[in-house]
Amino acid sequence: MARELSVELTTDGDQLEIHGDKAALLRLVETIERLLAAAKNDHVHMFTPSWGGDQLSSEPQNDTNRVLNKVTIYYWSDTEASSGRSKV
């Protein structure tokens, strides 16, 4: 059985951990590649099932971590990034 992608915060909240098998990590790469192929600034959302999605697992891989239910990845074009603008 393939392990689903899990994004977790450590107990102290200072570290982010991404867990997944090869298939799950390749899906993350594909998501980022689709975002980079956008002609303009854009973003993608990934959710756990409890938040209405199927991109992230609700099950922590490290029992002391807290699962994040939503992950948003933003793409800023080189022009936007160099101008210091952070809104998509």
Side-chain angles (χ1 to χ4, degrees):
M1 179 174 166
R3 178 179 292 169
E4 296 177 54
L5 188 67
S6 177
V7 180
E8 307 172 18
L9 278 179
T10 58
T11 305
D12 59 13
D14 289 341
Q15 297 179 47
L16 175 78
E17 295 182 357
I18 299 174
H19 299 264
D21 62 6
K22 185 174 182 175
L25 293 175
L26 284 172
R27 283 192 305 275
L28 177 60
V29 168
E30 290 169 3
T31 298
I32 292 170
E33 286 176 340
R34 281 193 310 273
L35 185 59
L36 289 171
K40 59 183 172 98
N41 297 339
D42 205 351
H43 65 283
V44 294
H45 300 286
M46 300 185 318
F47 298 97
T48 59
S50 62
W51 278 46
D54 63 0
Q55 302 86 7
L56 300 174
S57 172
S58 296
E59 298 297 321
Q61 300 303 306
N62 183 335
D63 291 336
T64 62
N65 289 349
R66 183 171 58 105
V67 169
L68 297 178
N69 289 301
K70 177 184 175 187
V71 173
T72 305
I73 303 173
Y74 292 94
Y75 165 62
W76 299 309
S77 68
D78 292 340
T79 304
E80 292 295 318
S82 65
S83 71
R85 294 175 67 185
S86 61
K87 300 279 182 185
V88 175

